[in-house]
Amino acid sequence: MTDLLGALGQAWVRVLIFPGGLSAFLLSLLVAYISGCRQVERLYAVTLLDVLPPLCAITLLPLVTAPSFPYGLDLPTALVLLLWPVVRRFATTPLDPPRLIEGYVPLLSAMLALISATATFDLGGLLRWPTALPYQIALSIGTITWLAALPYLLPPPTDLVLATSRLGLILIGSLPISTALNVYTEIGSTLPWLITAMSSATAIASTIAFGSAPASVRYVLAGSAFITAGWILGVGQ
């Protein structure tokens, strides 16, 4: 813990400006506005405490343009931090099994495909484009399935906490997109910020588009991601 706090102190730009801090706050408001929320609730002490876990996940994301940081973040841990508002609501509201299946089965299938494609739980693996075609297919399908699951994973953001959680999930989905843009274009070597902006915009647009898609699309993608992950695991053996 001492080493982590020391590293955060040396990476104050990452904590206060980008990708956390001011940038995360402004982008969360933008995500809330795009999602249809025109008035975010007032900030209370409880809200600020709830926003810390998703904000921490965003701060530790391995974005290409973010300052270097010695500690990585794995996908399951990032998911738990970003879904902290949902976990809190589970403690006070009854569970809805159909909604849980609708939202979490595609997400878990996507996570399985991403982990199998990168052969690591570390989010930094999403910034390395695989050389073998089966792994490229798994990474692509996992990314698409991840973005397709997001509109049904969280309720529409009415406060800063939900908006920050949604932003973090979108940014994770943008990591493989930025990797593909770096590999197949020459923009990343000269304008890395443009790659980050383009991948984030693509992820946001994809999330909005999947929000109006039929439920069958998510289930087809979830099945494809699950089959692809099994295929990759079989090829690896």
Side-chain angles (χ1 to χ4, degrees):
M1 180 60 70
T2 303
D3 293 340
L4 178 60
L5 292 176
L8 285 171
Q10 295 176 4
W12 62 268
V13 175
R14 173 184 279 270
V15 176
L16 299 178
I17 300 177
F18 179 83
L22 182 61
S23 297
F25 177 75
L26 295 177
L27 286 175
S28 296
L29 294 178
L30 176 62
V31 168
Y33 184 84
I34 293 176
S35 300
C37 178
R38 297 295 181 265
Q39 183 176 359
V40 178
E41 294 179 358
R42 294 176 59 187
L43 298 180
Y44 298 96
V46 175
T47 302
L48 293 176
L49 289 176
D50 283 345
V51 82
L52 286 179
L55 186 60
C56 179
I58 293 176
T59 302
L60 297 177
L61 287 179
L63 298 178
V64 175
T65 49
S68 60
F69 192 71
Y71 292 89
L73 185 66
D74 61 84
L75 186 54
T77 301
L79 194 58
V80 170
L81 291 173
L82 292 171
L83 293 179
W84 172 250
V86 179
V87 175
R88 287 262 299 173
R89 281 165 174 77
F90 284 165
T92 57
T93 58
L95 298 179
D96 185 2
R99 181 171 177 80
L100 289 176
I101 294 174
E102 182 182 15
Y104 286 92
V105 167
L107 186 77
L108 294 177
S109 298
M111 185 170 66
L112 183 61
L114 293 175
I115 291 173
S116 63
T118 58
T120 179
F121 287 92
D122 189 358
L123 281 176
L126 299 178
L127 297 178
R128 297 188 292 270
W129 190 252
T131 56
L133 181 60
Y135 292 85
Q136 295 175 4
I137 294 175
L139 185 60
S140 301
I141 293 179
T143 303
I144 295 173
T145 307
W146 180 279
L147 295 174
L150 298 189
Y152 304 91
L153 193 65
L154 296 172
T158 57
D159 54 36
L160 185 62
V161 177
L162 289 175
T164 305
S165 295
R166 180 162 291 190
L167 171 64
L169 293 168
I170 291 174
L171 288 177
I172 289 178
S174 73
L175 294 178
I177 299 176
S178 66
T179 305
L181 290 174
N182 269 319
V183 171
Y184 293 108
T185 68
E186 298 181 355
I187 301 176
S189 58
T190 56
L191 298 171
W193 279 93
L194 182 58
I195 289 289
T196 300
M198 290 174 60
S199 60
S200 301
T202 302
I204 293 174
S206 300
T207 302
I208 295 174
F210 282 122
S212 57
S216 57
V217 173
R218 295 194 306 280
Y219 293 129
V220 169
L221 288 172
S224 301
F226 187 80
I227 293 172
T228 305
W231 178 38
I232 290 297
L233 294 175
V235 170
Q237 294 176 355

